[in-house]
Amino acid sequence: MTTLAPVATTPTIPRVPAGSGTFPTVRLRRLRRSETLRSLVRETTLDPGDFIYPLFITTGRGVRHEVASMPGICQLSVDEAVREVRALDGTGIPAVLLFGIPEHKDAVGSEAYASDGVIQQAIRAIKDARPELLVVTDVCLCEYTDHGHCGIIAGHEVLNDPSLELLARMAVSHVEAGADLVAPSDMMDGRVGAIRQALDDTGHADTAIMAYSSKYASGFYGPFREAAESAPRFGDRRGYQMDPANAREALREIELDIAEGADIVMVKPALAYLDVIRRVRDRFPVPLAAYNVSGEYAMVKAAAGNGWIDERRIVLEVLTGIKRAGADFIITYHAPEASRWLQEER
Ligand code: PBG
């Protein structure tokens, strides 16, 4: 008679002493078993308080003109912008970032620093309607110049030093209209210092600067240039915005901006530059913003519009990734929908 060996009911797992720091003592899946557990050990959380929502302000009344490449985003006249910020009430979004599309453009971007310019009117109206909402303004000449460059030009050269005075005037006029924060995005050398000096000289020493410190010459700004009508008429911005291949240089830009008086620094765009966000976060103790730019938004919207991706999941994953990389807050066109989704998940 042959006796069969008993059949093992559970697979034999080679035992290693408990606490040896390896499988099967350690099983990382234990903490993934329920949403409550996952939420307890979550390292990065998103909150509507992390978002800054950009608005494109145009002249006229009752204008709400959707940007073709940015579904859901409109050029808004001042009255419509006021409606938009009222609708943000209760979302938890703390700030808007304003871009202006002036009536007339000229070589020196005069409407950028006109006290009755479209942005100055918008700042006053928005602060009037929602005084507690932070109004941040983009300080750059490209939307206001007829050549579409971020500074003034001589021939095909974008002049650095002569542009500084205009940028400083623009920043002062925004603050005098009621802006809470100014955000220079032109990438001229020395502009943070010039703006800081001009604000201090005009009695605005307490107004903070959020500098677009490491702003790359990126193809991801394409849809924005349609929204803001700010594409350069000749050439491109590679002579002043950063080379996408450089990360060490981003640290130099950040360091210089902090030295010149930047209160908040920024990396832009976000998704192709998450390593830069991480390096800046590890190196500098200042608040760090990341700009989830128009092209990043357009790609998500295009894929979602085709039914190719789960939009809500992707948007929240993208924003979580930017925060996990080290951003303290995110400038994003997804702000209203993301806030809604986050509130639904509570
Ligand atoms: C202005 C400015 C740009 C963006 C923000 N400020 C465009 C550019 O530099 O060409 C891009 C924002 C976006 O793509 O969402 N200089």
Side-chain angles (χ1 to χ4, degrees):
M1 242 182 26
T2 41
T3 40
L4 293 170
V7 177
T9 48
T10 48
T12 328
I13 294 163
R15 278 280 153 191
V16 282
S20 70
T22 164
F23 177 81
T25 308
V26 176
R27 291 176 182 270
L28 295 185
R29 286 183 55 185
R30 287 182 195 125
L31 295 178
R32 296 178 196 149
R33 293 181 68 215
S34 71
E35 180 46 30
T36 322
L37 269 172
R38 289 190 293 272
S39 144
L40 181 73
V41 299
R42 189 158 291 140
E43 298 172 35
T44 309
T45 49
L46 270 185
D47 184 271
D50 301 328
F51 304 144
I52 298 182
Y53 185 42
L55 297 176
F56 298 101
I57 314 291
T58 190
T59 48
R61 274 194 76 76
V63 182
R64 185 169 270 274
H65 175 65
E66 191 169 37
V67 180
S69 54
M70 300 179 73
I73 300 297
C74 296
Q75 295 179 338
L76 303 167
S77 52
V78 172
D79 55 321
E80 289 293 326
V82 166
R83 281 197 13 190
E84 190 81 15
V85 300
R86 288 220 166 96
L88 293 180
D89 201 3
T91 60
I93 297 170
V96 288
L97 171 61
L98 305 186
F99 295 95
I101 307 152
E103 184 93 71
H104 302 290
K105 302 183 188 236
D106 62 28
V108 292
S110 305
E111 282 194 36
Y113 34 88
S115 59
D116 60 348
V118 68
I119 269 308
Q120 289 78 0
Q121 291 178 40
I123 297 165
R124 286 191 285 266
I126 291 170
K127 286 308 288 185
D128 224 37
R130 297 254 341 254
E132 78 296 351
L133 182 75
L134 293 172
V135 170
V136 188
T137 57
D138 188 84
V139 174
C140 187
L141 294 171
C142 63
E143 298 120 72
Y144 301 88
T145 50
D146 50 15
H147 46 73
H149 278 287
C150 302
I152 50 180
I153 57 169
H156 277 191
E157 181 78 18
V158 179
L159 303 175
N160 193 89
D161 299 13
S163 300
L164 299 181
E165 194 210 317
L166 301 184
L167 292 162
R169 268 168 74 179
M170 184 175 181
V172 169
S173 91
H174 290 176
V175 173
E176 296 198 325
D180 297 291
L181 269 165
V182 287
S185 70
D186 53 283
M187 290 302 279
M188 299 300 122
D189 286 320
R191 91 276 207 211
V192 172
I195 290 171
R196 183 71 272 157
Q197 176 85 52
L199 291 176
D200 291 357
D201 289 349
T202 50
H204 306 295
D206 290 334
T207 303
I209 299 173
M210 174 166 82
Y212 286 73
S213 302
S214 50
K215 176 173 176 179
Y216 287 89
S218 171
F220 285 99
Y221 307 152
F224 171 95
R225 292 179 189 168
E226 181 199 338
E229 301 174 11
S230 67
R233 290 288 160 83
F234 63 85
D236 55 40
R237 305 212 202 287
R238 284 177 235 235
Y240 41 105
Q241 298 180 346
M242 283 183 58
D243 183 338
N246 294 357
R248 292 192 306 258
E249 189 188 353
L251 302 178
R252 297 190 71 199
E253 284 284 6
I254 301 266
E255 192 167 29
L256 285 168
D257 280 2
I258 295 170
E260 288 177 34
D263 302 278
I264 299 171
V265 296
M266 192 197 301
V267 173
K268 174 188 174 193
L271 287 184
Y273 302 88
L274 294 176
D275 59 318
V276 179
I277 295 175
R278 170 49 53 195
R279 289 210 215 182
V280 173
R281 167 42 65 242
D282 288 344
R283 180 92 155 245
F284 300 101
V286 298
L288 173 61
Y291 201 140
N292 174 216
V293 301
S294 60
E296 297 170 357
Y297 176 86
M299 291 196 302
V300 170
K301 288 289 167 183
N306 277 299
W308 294 341
I309 55 168
D310 176 341
E311 183 176 13
R312 174 174 170 155
R313 268 189 84 175
I314 296 268
V315 168
L316 295 178
E317 190 172 332
V318 160
L319 296 171
T320 301
I322 296 170
K323 244 195 120 181
R324 192 195 61 240
D328 293 307
F329 46 92
I330 306 168
I331 301 162
T332 179
Y333 304 97
H334 294 294
E337 58 196 13
S339 309
R340 196 167 3 95
W341 294 329
L342 290 171
Q343 273 162 358
E344 282 168 19
E345 282 180 13
R346 289 249 168 90

